[in-house]
Amino acid sequence: TEGTLEKYLGKEKITFENANEQDEVGIVRGLAWTSVGGDTLQIEVNVMPGKGNLLMTGQLGDVMKESVQIAISLVKAMFPEKEELFEQNDLHIHVPAGAVPKDGPSAGITLTTALASLVTGKPVHPEIAMTGEVSLRGVVMPIGGLPEKLMAAQRAVVKRVLIPEENTDDLRDVAEEVKQELEMIPVHQVRDV
């Protein structure tokens, strides 16, 4: 039974992080594909007094580092009035679970949204997750592993998922029980988000 499960199988070895409980500025949940299925990644950004330096933590690979640079350029272009924020402060971008290497072309929209939340002071609803890479022009590009990512969103008690518009055909590969529990919103441009 559920009550004796730990007694016979031991302590739970794999846990999944649920959606945050409250809106927060600079924190957005992304979706990732892994070799054992989908997972959610919380991306956190913060600023502190400094000289415009960038600090990235959480074992980000080269592709994600490029996504960070594109996200910063997009946010600077979208909010030119916030240029001093970038010039007079240091920016820290963190993807928790630092012992796990992270790479892949699908975090751009999450990084951009977290940065936009930070510079505008607008919190992001905790039951929203997103996936999609972005171009330097702000186009949200298609990704792989959508069924696994959406299962991870459902497991994390996310209610609304923003996906690249070009991935809407991939929804036919997603289990009906997953689609019934999630509101999927296709987006084409960063500004749509």
Side-chain angles (χ1 to χ4, degrees):
T1 67
E2 188 175 343
T4 60
L5 196 59
E6 187 173 321
K7 175 182 172 185
Y8 293 111
L9 297 179
K11 191 167 173 75
E12 184 176 8
K13 291 181 173 40
I14 298 173
T15 59
F16 299 102
E17 190 176 356
N18 285 350
N20 297 344
E21 293 184 14
Q22 60 187 25
D23 300 4
E24 294 193 54
V25 171
I27 297 179
V28 182
R29 187 163 300 277
L31 301 173
W33 181 91
T34 71
S35 59
V36 292
D39 202 358
T40 64
L41 290 176
Q42 182 167 282
I43 293 180
E44 305 172 347
V45 298
N46 206 350
V47 293
M48 65 283 303
K51 299 178 180 170
N53 296 319
L54 172 63
L55 176 63
M56 293 181 277
T57 53
Q59 275 207 55
L60 306 185
D62 290 340
V63 174
M64 278 192 75
K65 287 177 182 175
E66 287 183 6
S67 295
V68 167
Q69 294 296 333
I70 290 170
I72 291 169
S73 293
L74 281 170
V75 170
K76 283 180 175 180
M78 290 189 314
F79 304 101
E81 70 279 7
K82 302 289 186 177
E83 184 64 30
E84 282 186 12
L85 177 82
F86 290 97
E87 291 173 355
Q88 298 174 4
N89 294 283
D90 291 343
L91 181 64
H92 188 163
I93 297 176
H94 179 59
V95 184
V100 180
K102 298 160 202 79
D103 207 14
S106 66
I109 192 61
T110 313
L111 288 159
T112 305
T113 303
L115 283 164
S117 168
L118 183 74
V119 301
T120 62
K122 292 182 181 176
V124 177
H125 196 284
E127 292 182 346
I128 292 178
M130 57 193 69
T131 184
E133 196 48 75
V134 292
S135 74
L136 199 50
R137 298 179 328 270
V139 174
V140 181
M141 299 182 295
I143 47 85
L146 187 64
E148 293 86 357
K149 290 176 179 182
L150 293 178
M151 283 190 286
Q154 176 199 23
R155 188 174 54 237
V157 198
V158 166
K159 299 296 180 201
R160 186 177 303 148
V161 180
L162 284 66
I163 64 170
E165 193 173 70
E166 289 186 49
N167 281 108
T168 52
D169 286 345
D170 296 334
L171 290 173
R172 66 176 172 249
D173 299 329
V174 176
E176 282 303 317
E177 57 267 23
V178 173
K179 288 193 269 192
Q180 289 172 5
E181 291 193 35
L182 296 174
E183 177 188 359
M184 267 93 46
I185 302 171
V187 292
H188 176 69
Q189 277 277 342
V190 166
R191 291 190 183 276
D192 297 340
V193 179

